[in-house]
Structures are given as structure tokens and as C-alpha cells.
Amino acid sequence: MTSVSDAVAALNAGNLIFLPTETVYGLGASASDSVAVAKVFSAKGRPHFNPLIAHVADLAIAEGLAHFDDRACALAKAFWPGPLTLVVPYRNDGQVCDLARAGLDSVAIRMPAHPLALEILRAFGGGVVAPSANRSGRPSPTRFYDAVEETGAYVAAAIDGGDCQIGLESTVVSLMDGVRYLRAGAVTRQQIEAVIGPLEGDDHDGHRSPGRLTLHYAPEAKVEINVALPEPGCAYLAFGPTNYTGPVFQLSASSDLSEAASNLFKSLRDADKLKPSKICVAPVPDEGLGEAINDRLKRASGFIG
Ligand code: TXA
Ligand code: MG
């Protein structure tokens, strides 16, 4: 198995690594190295208008990359290390290259909670950009095997960090224009508001978060959401007890939202391998973590509103 020092050597040599995190597996490169960052975009087939998240070992390194006002500091202190990405004004000193930021004057930063990610980031010292390690538009990898299947051919160092505990990408909050909740994740709106007060209106048009404009998280099979009982021939992602007699992938037998989040992408992938006529998904309540689950499901089903 690859070691932390192999991963750091790969980053320093301008090569790609897997960055195992608590949310999903990332495809990592040195944030300042535009040639390495270009390899990330091409390995994923990712459009260049969609900027990447810079991962750091601590808040001090983050403050070296970007300006953190009182609210940004309060959010970082409350939720880091953890599944919260903050979009803040970039310092413009080359530490996160233009390509990684899609030319924006802001930068997205997060400190992940996975011990191996933190070890790699501490040993490397600088920012590591890491989008989810899937090919663009596909479900994010939450198991080592899935990451290998998606982009394993492009990495010089592949660390197995086990199954991702959360299973959904980080919450993205922007502080560029008030405080806006750009992408739902394990840190809920209510948790953000408890720290810094009310959020601004939603970003319905996606213009503040370029990645939100594209079809995402989609398996090969068509996905239909909010299905109580599927027709024969479908694969079914259930949430709680079901009478369906075809192939069932249980998101959570006890209807627990955290368990469902951790099972979501791997269930989509495993269901897809059966080549069903359709993947149907049970209704999932829209509260708390359910907002993030429903966001990913709507996008997987082709709804990009
Ligand atoms: O949990 C995660 O965040 C994972 C793990 C690997 O850390 N990473 C991840 O990265 O989900 P990615 O690239 O798949 O998603 C990054 C999101 C995209 O929606 C992108 O548009 C948004 O963050 N983003 C990045 N920089 C931004 C910026 N400057 N302004 C607004 N949105 C930004
Ligand atoms: Mg992604």
C-alpha cells in the first residue's frame, strides 16, 4: 500500500494522488502547480469553468491563502476539521493557481477530518486541490475501490483510507456577498445560522457556484426519485421497510439520514452494475441532512433547477 510519504512525493513531483476524506475520495494535486492541476481537469473530464476546493491542514494555512473575516473565522473554528468548505477572497499570491480557481477572485477552502488526509496535508504543507475522484458527472467515490475504478489510472499514489464516513460532499458556504449556502452537505443551514446568524437568499441560478450548473452524480441507468413502489425490472434504493421484490439497496433500514447519506453513492453505483431498466429511489424527508441527499438525487435524476 502507498504511504503518506509516497503521496507527498507525488504531490511535489506534480503528480496526482487520492486524498481519502471523511466526505468522499478526492483526486488531489498541488494547488500552486498549474500543470498538475491541468491533469486533474483532464483526468476527470471536468469543464474548466468549474473551480476546485483547496484542502489545508489548519486555519493558519488557510489564512495564508485567503482573507478570513470574523464570520469566516467563526465558521472555520466551529466546523473544521470537517465537511464545510468556505468560499473566501483569494490573496492573489499564486498559492492556488488561476486554473484551480477558474480565474475567480475567490477560493474555496476546507480542512478535512480524515486522519490520513490531515497527515498528507501536514506533511505537504501547502494547499492540495481535490475534487471528488469521479469522472465528471458521475457519482462520487465513497469506497477505495470506486475511486480506483473512476480515476485510478491517473494517480501516482493511491492511499486506501477505507469507506468514507459521511458519503456526501462537503457543504459549500460563500462569504463573498453576504453568507450564502451554495451546496447542501452534512453541515446544515441551521448549524451555520446557529454560528453566524441568518443566511442570505438561495443561489437558485447557480451563478455563484459554477459546479451547480452541470448534470451531476449520474449513473448509467435513468434515475427516478420519490418512488414508493417500483415496477418490476427496476433496482430500488429503499429508505426503511419495503415490499418490493426486485433488487433492493437499503439506504437505511431504520430510516436514519446519516446512514442513508453514507450509503447513497455506493448504492447508486452497485445498483447501476445490475444494468436495471431504471434505478428508483424511495422518498427521503427533506429535513437536516435530507436536504443534501435530495439535492444529489435530483441532480442524479437529471433535474438541475
Ligand atoms: O467533500 C468535498 O468537498 C470533496 C472532498 C474531496 O473534499 N470535494 C468536492 O470537490 O466535492 P468538487 O470539486 O467535486 O466540488 C467543489 C464545489 C463545486 O460545486 C464548485 O463549483 C464549488 O465547490 N466551488 C469551488 N470553488 C468555488 C468558488 N471560488 N466559488 C464558488 N463555488 C466554488
Ligand atoms: Mg464532485
Side-chain angles (χ1 to χ4, degrees), residues 24-25 44 46 50 130-141 169 183 211-212 216-217 265 296:
V24 301
Y25 273 84
K44 280 184 64 81
R46 180 172 174 119
N50 192 4
S132 46
N134 51 287
R135 302 262 313 149
S136 200
R138 303 246 316 134
S140 300
E169 305 80 358
R183 179 172 76 180
R212 312 303 286 157
H216 246 93
Y217 316 118
F265 287 133
R296 304 307 189 274

Side-chain angles (χ1 to χ4, degrees), residues 115-138:
L116 280 174
L118 287 172
E119 256 191 77
I120 294 168
L121 293 169
R122 276 191 205 111
F124 180 64
V128 173
V129 287
S132 46
N134 51 287
R135 302 262 313 149
S136 200
R138 303 246 316 134

